[in-house]
């Protein structure tokens, strides 16, 4: 997962994450990582169309984004 996050930051390519909010709700987000520190990452969230801060401990999975569309 850490490797995928670094990939998005270095290559400036979107990834998809599954995130557990502080309220206990799961969400799947497509993000573009802008910065990373030991506890958080700052990313553009394509779902919310704004910059968001994500706690690294709340990210359950991360994968490279696929742009394939099913017709």
């Amino acid at each position: 997962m850490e490797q995928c996050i670094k990939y998005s930051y270095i290559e400036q390519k979107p990834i998809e994450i599954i995130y557990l909010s502080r309220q206990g709700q799961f969400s799947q987000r497509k993000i573009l990582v802008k910065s990373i520190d030991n506890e958080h990452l700052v990313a553009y969230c394509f779902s919310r169309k704004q910059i968001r801060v994500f706690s690294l401990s709340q990210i359950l999975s991360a994968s490279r984004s696929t742009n394939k569309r099913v017709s």
Side-chain angles (χ1 to χ4, degrees), residues 2-54:
E2 183 180 328
Q3 186 178 17
C4 191
I5 292 168
K6 286 181 181 179
Y7 160 82
S8 178
Y9 177 66
I10 293 167
E11 299 293 327
Q12 285 298 285
K13 298 205 176 188
I15 59 172
E16 293 183 17
I17 62 169
I18 296 178
Y19 188 76
L20 178 63
S21 73
R22 285 183 253 156
Q23 293 77 27
Q25 295 180 326
F26 294 96
S27 66
Q28 184 172 351
R29 307 279 185 95
K30 184 175 180 179
I31 63 170
L32 181 62
V33 178
K34 297 296 184 182
S35 68
I36 312 166
D37 66 25
N38 290 334
E39 296 179 18
H40 301 92
L41 67 82
V42 177
Y44 178 79
C45 177
F46 291 90
S47 302
R48 303 284 192 248
K49 296 183 173 86
Q50 59 183 243
I51 298 290
R52 304 292 282 223
V53 178
F54 297 93

